[in-house]
Amino acid sequence: MIDSRVKFRHLHTFLEVARQKSVVKAANVLHVSQPAVTKTIRELEEALGVAVFERDGRGIRITRYGEVFLRHAGAALSALKQGIDSVSQELSDAAPPVRVGALPTVSTRIMPRAMTLFLQEATGSRIKIVTGENAVLLEQLRVGDLDLVVGRLAAPEKMTGFSFEHLYSEQVVFAVRAGHPLLDGSRSVFEGLPAYTVLMPTRGSVIRPVVEQLLIANGVGNIPTQVETVSHAFGRAFVRASDAVWIISQGVVSNDLAEGLLVALPVDTSETKGPVGLTLKADTPPSAPQAILMQTIRQAAEEIMPRR
């Protein structure tokens, strides 16, 4: 049986005295008087029926029984604190979370503005934003790890059970550093492309098939040196430091192009244009915070990528 006389303050005071090996020091840490600490320890010893501390010269030391109790008191106080913290966390997380999957093109161009607008609504919801390939994000949406995905419209067979809302259309670009040899116009881009390292969309990405079709249609059947990536950080750094050509969705590099850090090669990529929008599970209505976030994404897309 747990003695009902043992309270939280007894455990807290006992642990601090054991830690400080001094009633005076413990009282200072606990911001109470020395007599109050002494009284609390005596109450604990009465409840336990044994002494937990004994005099040691001018100081005190913990007894054998105190050592036994110390192991359990520390664990009990830690568990209690975790329980209190968990309840506090649950209270602060009362609003349902919003988990969003966004393609790199959306993460760099649309989501920053959308999040600014969403946070102004003060819903109290926790937000999680995951960036990755479209196929991976859709699978996470399907199993319930995400609430919505903002990205390209997937192939029909991949959209079973999902609904899609079109926001805008986007095409790929061939991005290079300023001063790249292919910018001099001495030969066509597609003719010279195989001589350079080409950063390609990964095979799991939505735009990979349309990029391959574009290359084949323009006589490029093979690229000897290619790197597959969806990483904006890597692609940006690698292309700026080399003669590599980065074939990527325009939204990923839009800021770099606008600032002149990268340049788009003169290639007609209109055939690669595809719809970008919101994908949700068709049978799951959005929560209020999710609906608010969707509206802020719509607003951000309209501001940054007005439909044409």
Side-chain angles (χ1 to χ4, degrees):
M1 292 285 295
I2 298 175
D3 196 311
S4 61
R5 292 175 294 172
V6 177
K7 310 294 185 184
F8 178 85
R9 63 183 176 84
H10 293 123
L11 299 179
H12 194 199
T13 302
F14 167 75
L15 289 172
E16 197 56 52
V17 173
R19 185 179 297 113
Q20 300 294 335
K21 296 183 175 61
S22 167
V23 171
V24 175
K25 291 180 180 179
N28 290 334
V29 172
L30 297 171
H31 302 291
V32 297
S33 66
Q34 179 180 344
V37 172
T38 300
K39 181 183 180 212
T40 301
I41 295 300
R42 285 176 180 170
E43 291 174 354
L44 175 63
E45 291 177 332
E46 288 176 5
L48 294 176
V50 294
V52 292
F53 295 107
E54 61 186 6
R55 292 191 176 278
D56 182 23
R58 300 182 63 178
I60 62 171
R61 67 180 178 184
I62 193 167
T63 65
R64 178 168 61 88
Y65 297 109
E67 290 283 2
V68 173
F69 187 67
L70 178 62
R71 295 195 295 270
H72 299 285
L77 201 62
S78 177
L80 183 59
K81 184 178 183 303
Q82 289 177 7
I84 294 172
D85 290 344
S86 296
V87 171
S88 299
Q89 184 68 30
E90 286 294 325
L91 289 173
S92 65
D93 294 343
V98 182
R99 304 161 300 174
V100 185
L103 291 183
T105 175
V106 177
S107 295
T108 57
R109 198 169 197 182
I110 304 300
M111 289 308 296
R113 175 57 179 162
M115 282 306 306
T116 298
L117 295 171
F118 179 79
L119 293 174
Q120 290 174 359
E121 298 294 329
T123 65
S125 291
R126 291 175 292 121
I127 305 296
K128 178 181 180 181
I129 299 177
V130 177
T131 299
E133 296 179 354
N134 209 66
V136 175
L137 297 179
L138 289 180
E139 182 58 28
Q140 291 178 320
L141 177 63
R142 192 178 301 280
V143 301
D145 290 339
L146 293 175
D147 300 308
L148 67 142
V149 170
V150 193
R152 282 229 180 187
L153 175 63
E157 65 271 15
K158 302 289 186 181
M159 292 298 295
T160 303
F162 294 138
S163 64
F164 180 83
E165 177 185 338
H166 179 235
L167 296 176
Y168 60 91
S169 295
E170 186 175 62
Q171 61 196 60
V172 304
V173 295
F174 287 52
V176 295
R177 64 170 178 82
H180 193 282
L182 287 176
L183 290 169
D184 64 12
S186 60
R187 55 179 174 171
S188 75
V189 171
F190 291 108
E191 180 184 353
L193 192 63
Y196 299 95
T197 298
V198 177
L199 272 57
M200 290 279 288
T202 57
R203 296 187 184 278
S205 65
V206 175
I207 63 173
R208 176 63 180 249
V210 297
V211 169
E212 290 180 335
Q213 290 172 8
L214 176 67
L215 293 175
I216 293 172
N218 285 275
V220 183
N222 179 50
I223 298 176
T225 306
Q226 60 178 275
V227 178
E228 296 185 7
T229 183
V230 294
S231 170
H232 171 257
F234 167 74
R236 184 173 186 259
F238 187 71
V239 170
R240 290 180 63 187
S242 70
D243 284 340
V245 178
W246 190 9
I247 307 177
I248 191 67
S249 291
Q250 185 175 8
V252 177
V253 293
S254 59
N255 291 335
D256 297 303
L257 296 174
E259 295 171 5
L261 300 176
L262 295 177
V263 180
L265 291 173
V267 176
D268 180 7
T269 59
S270 57
E271 294 180 6
T272 67
K273 182 175 290 187
V276 177
L278 299 168
T279 301
L280 297 92
K281 295 181 74 172
D283 59 353
T284 305
S287 65
Q290 290 167 15
I292 293 173
L293 179 58
M294 289 166 61
Q295 183 55 41
T296 65
I297 293 173
R298 294 186 190 103
Q299 183 176 340
E302 184 62 30
E303 291 177 7
I304 298 170
M305 292 290 295
R307 298 191 190 190
R308 291 187 287 271

PDB file of all heavy atoms in Angstrom, residues 134-149:
ATOM      1  N   ASN A 134       6.515  12.998 -55.841  1.00  0.00           N
ATOM      2  CA  ASN A 134       5.059  12.930 -55.886  1.00  0.00           C
ATOM      3  C   ASN A 134       4.541  11.552 -55.489  1.00  0.00           C
ATOM      4  O   ASN A 134       3.586  11.438 -54.716  1.00  0.00           O
ATOM      5  CB  ASN A 134       4.578  13.293 -57.287  1.00  0.00           C
ATOM      6  CG  ASN A 134       3.203  13.926 -57.292  1.00  0.00           C
ATOM      7  OD1 ASN A 134       3.023  15.022 -56.772  1.00  0.00           O
ATOM      8  ND2 ASN A 134       2.229  13.243 -57.854  1.00  0.00           N
ATOM      9  N   ALA A 135       5.160  10.492 -56.017  1.00  0.00           N
ATOM     10  CA  ALA A 135       4.692   9.138 -55.734  1.00  0.00           C
ATOM     11  C   ALA A 135       4.796   8.815 -54.247  1.00  0.00           C
ATOM     12  O   ALA A 135       3.906   8.177 -53.667  1.00  0.00           O
ATOM     13  CB  ALA A 135       5.495   8.124 -56.547  1.00  0.00           C
ATOM     14  N   VAL A 136       5.876   9.254 -53.627  1.00  0.00           N
ATOM     15  CA  VAL A 136       6.074   9.006 -52.187  1.00  0.00           C
ATOM     16  C   VAL A 136       5.044   9.773 -51.369  1.00  0.00           C
ATOM     17  O   VAL A 136       4.443   9.244 -50.426  1.00  0.00           O
ATOM     18  CB  VAL A 136       7.498   9.397 -51.766  1.00  0.00           C
ATOM     19  CG1 VAL A 136       7.670   9.257 -50.254  1.00  0.00           C
ATOM     20  CG2 VAL A 136       8.533   8.547 -52.500  1.00  0.00           C
ATOM     21  N   LEU A 137       4.818  11.022 -51.738  1.00  0.00           N
ATOM     22  CA  LEU A 137       3.855  11.842 -51.005  1.00  0.00           C
ATOM     23  C   LEU A 137       2.441  11.280 -51.132  1.00  0.00           C
ATOM     24  O   LEU A 137       1.681  11.250 -50.159  1.00  0.00           O
ATOM     25  CB  LEU A 137       3.895  13.279 -51.509  1.00  0.00           C
ATOM     26  CG  LEU A 137       5.227  14.029 -51.305  1.00  0.00           C
ATOM     27  CD1 LEU A 137       5.128  15.438 -51.890  1.00  0.00           C
ATOM     28  CD2 LEU A 137       5.600  14.091 -49.829  1.00  0.00           C
ATOM     29  N   LEU A 138       2.072  10.826 -52.325  1.00  0.00           N
ATOM     30  CA  LEU A 138       0.739  10.266 -52.521  1.00  0.00           C
ATOM     31  C   LEU A 138       0.539   8.984 -51.720  1.00  0.00           C
ATOM     32  O   LEU A 138      -0.550   8.724 -51.201  1.00  0.00           O
ATOM     33  CB  LEU A 138       0.485  10.007 -54.004  1.00  0.00           C
ATOM     34  CG  LEU A 138       0.303  11.249 -54.884  1.00  0.00           C
ATOM     35  CD1 LEU A 138       0.056  10.836 -56.333  1.00  0.00           C
ATOM     36  CD2 LEU A 138      -0.834  12.129 -54.380  1.00  0.00           C
ATOM     37  N   GLU A 139       1.581   8.193 -51.602  1.00  0.00           N
ATOM     38  CA  GLU A 139       1.468   6.974 -50.807  1.00  0.00           C
ATOM     39  C   GLU A 139       1.290   7.319 -49.332  1.00  0.00           C
ATOM     40  O   GLU A 139       0.507   6.672 -48.618  1.00  0.00           O
ATOM     41  CB  GLU A 139       2.718   6.103 -51.002  1.00  0.00           C
ATOM     42  CG  GLU A 139       2.682   4.773 -50.251  1.00  0.00           C
ATOM     43  CD  GLU A 139       1.489   3.907 -50.640  1.00  0.00           C
ATOM     44  OE1 GLU A 139       1.001   4.010 -51.775  1.00  0.00           O
ATOM     45  OE2 GLU A 139       1.040   3.112 -49.770  1.00  0.00           O
ATOM     46  N   GLN A 140       1.994   8.346 -48.871  1.00  0.00           N
ATOM     47  CA  GLN A 140       1.822   8.787 -47.484  1.00  0.00           C
ATOM     48  C   GLN A 140       0.415   9.337 -47.260  1.00  0.00           C
ATOM     49  O   GLN A 140      -0.171   9.144 -46.190  1.00  0.00           O
ATOM     50  CB  GLN A 140       2.866   9.848 -47.130  1.00  0.00           C
ATOM     51  CG  GLN A 140       4.284   9.293 -47.054  1.00  0.00           C
ATOM     52  CD  GLN A 140       5.300  10.370 -46.742  1.00  0.00           C
ATOM     53  OE1 GLN A 140       5.222  11.482 -47.239  1.00  0.00           O
ATOM     54  NE2 GLN A 140       6.262  10.048 -45.897  1.00  0.00           N
ATOM     55  N   LEU A 141      -0.125  10.001 -48.262  1.00  0.00           N
ATOM     56  CA  LEU A 141      -1.502  10.481 -48.182  1.00  0.00           C
ATOM     57  C   LEU A 141      -2.468   9.305 -48.131  1.00  0.00           C
ATOM     58  O   LEU A 141      -3.431   9.301 -47.353  1.00  0.00           O
ATOM     59  CB  LEU A 141      -1.809  11.373 -49.387  1.00  0.00           C
ATOM     60  CG  LEU A 141      -3.240  11.916 -49.511  1.00  0.00           C
ATOM     61  CD1 LEU A 141      -3.584  12.816 -48.331  1.00  0.00           C
ATOM     62  CD2 LEU A 141      -3.409  12.673 -50.828  1.00  0.00           C
ATOM     63  N   ARG A 142      -2.207   8.291 -48.931  1.00  0.00           N
ATOM     64  CA  ARG A 142      -3.102   7.132 -49.009  1.00  0.00           C
ATOM     65  C   ARG A 142      -3.185   6.390 -47.680  1.00  0.00           C
ATOM     66  O   ARG A 142      -4.266   5.935 -47.267  1.00  0.00           O
ATOM     67  CB  ARG A 142      -2.636   6.185 -50.112  1.00  0.00           C
ATOM     68  CG  ARG A 142      -3.645   5.104 -50.476  1.00  0.00           C
ATOM     69  CD  ARG A 142      -3.133   4.225 -51.602  1.00  0.00           C
ATOM     70  NE  ARG A 142      -2.831   4.978 -52.811  1.00  0.00           N
ATOM     71  CZ  ARG A 142      -3.753   5.370 -53.691  1.00  0.00           C
ATOM     72  NH1 ARG A 142      -5.021   5.076 -53.478  1.00  0.00           N
ATOM     73  NH2 ARG A 142      -3.403   6.041 -54.767  1.00  0.00           N
ATOM     74  N   VAL A 143      -2.048   6.272 -46.974  1.00  0.00           N
ATOM     75  CA  VAL A 143      -2.030   5.513 -45.719  1.00  0.00           C
ATOM     76  C   VAL A 143      -2.356   6.387 -44.512  1.00  0.00           C
ATOM     77  O   VAL A 143      -2.376   5.906 -43.379  1.00  0.00           O
ATOM     78  CB  VAL A 143      -0.669   4.813 -45.511  1.00  0.00           C
ATOM     79  CG1 VAL A 143      -0.370   3.872 -46.656  1.00  0.00           C
ATOM     80  CG2 VAL A 143       0.467   5.837 -45.339  1.00  0.00           C
ATOM     81  N   GLY A 144      -2.589   7.682 -44.732  1.00  0.00           N
ATOM     82  CA  GLY A 144      -2.995   8.546 -43.633  1.00  0.00           C
ATOM     83  C   GLY A 144      -1.888   9.290 -42.935  1.00  0.00           C
ATOM     84  O   GLY A 144      -2.129   9.940 -41.913  1.00  0.00           O
ATOM     85  N   ASP A 145      -0.661   9.218 -43.457  1.00  0.00           N
ATOM     86  CA  ASP A 145       0.441   9.947 -42.834  1.00  0.00           C
ATOM     87  C   ASP A 145       0.439  11.428 -43.220  1.00  0.00           C
ATOM     88  O   ASP A 145       1.106  12.239 -42.583  1.00  0.00           O
ATOM     89  CB  ASP A 145       1.791   9.330 -43.226  1.00  0.00           C
ATOM     90  CG  ASP A 145       2.001   7.970 -42.584  1.00  0.00           C
ATOM     91  OD1 ASP A 145       1.330   7.696 -41.567  1.00  0.00           O
ATOM     92  OD2 ASP A 145       2.809   7.174 -43.095  1.00  0.00           O
ATOM     93  N   LEU A 146      -0.273  11.771 -44.290  1.00  0.00           N
ATOM     94  CA  LEU A 146      -0.429  13.160 -44.713  1.00  0.00           C
ATOM     95  C   LEU A 146      -1.910  13.456 -44.887  1.00  0.00           C
ATOM     96  O   LEU A 146      -2.712  12.558 -45.134  1.00  0.00           O
ATOM     97  CB  LEU A 146       0.324  13.420 -46.031  1.00  0.00           C
ATOM     98  CG  LEU A 146       1.849  13.347 -46.009  1.00  0.00           C
ATOM     99  CD1 LEU A 146       2.400  13.512 -47.425  1.00  0.00           C
ATOM    100  CD2 LEU A 146       2.436  14.398 -45.088  1.00  0.00           C
ATOM    101  N   ASP A 147      -2.266  14.734 -44.771  1.00  0.00           N
ATOM    102  CA  ASP A 147      -3.651  15.150 -44.929  1.00  0.00           C
ATOM    103  C   ASP A 147      -3.934  15.685 -46.326  1.00  0.00           C
ATOM    104  O   ASP A 147      -5.071  15.606 -46.796  1.00  0.00           O
ATOM    105  CB  ASP A 147      -3.998  16.229 -43.892  1.00  0.00           C
ATOM    106  CG  ASP A 147      -3.829  15.718 -42.473  1.00  0.00           C
ATOM    107  OD1 ASP A 147      -4.391  14.660 -42.161  1.00  0.00           O
ATOM    108  OD2 ASP A 147      -3.115  16.373 -41.681  1.00  0.00           O
ATOM    109  N   LEU A 148      -2.941  16.251 -46.957  1.00  0.00           N
ATOM    110  CA  LEU A 148      -3.092  16.717 -48.329  1.00  0.00           C
ATOM    111  C   LEU A 148      -1.731  16.829 -48.986  1.00  0.00           C
ATOM    112  O   LEU A 148      -0.708  16.922 -48.295  1.00  0.00           O
ATOM    113  CB  LEU A 148      -3.811  18.065 -48.407  1.00  0.00           C
ATOM    114  CG  LEU A 148      -3.101  19.284 -47.831  1.00  0.00           C
ATOM    115  CD1 LEU A 148      -3.352  20.501 -48.701  1.00  0.00           C
ATOM    116  CD2 LEU A 148      -3.608  19.574 -46.423  1.00  0.00           C
ATOM    117  N   VAL A 149      -1.716  16.807 -50.302  1.00  0.00           N
ATOM    118  CA  VAL A 149      -0.487  16.931 -51.073  1.00  0.00           C
ATOM    119  C   VAL A 149      -0.665  18.072 -52.063  1.00  0.00           C
ATOM    120  O   VAL A 149      -1.712  18.186 -52.706  1.00  0.00           O
ATOM    121  CB  VAL A 149      -0.155  15.617 -51.824  1.00  0.00           C
ATOM    122  CG1 VAL A 149       0.987  15.830 -52.814  1.00  0.00           C
ATOM    123  CG2 VAL A 149       0.192  14.518 -50.833  1.00  0.00           C
TER     124      VAL A 149
END
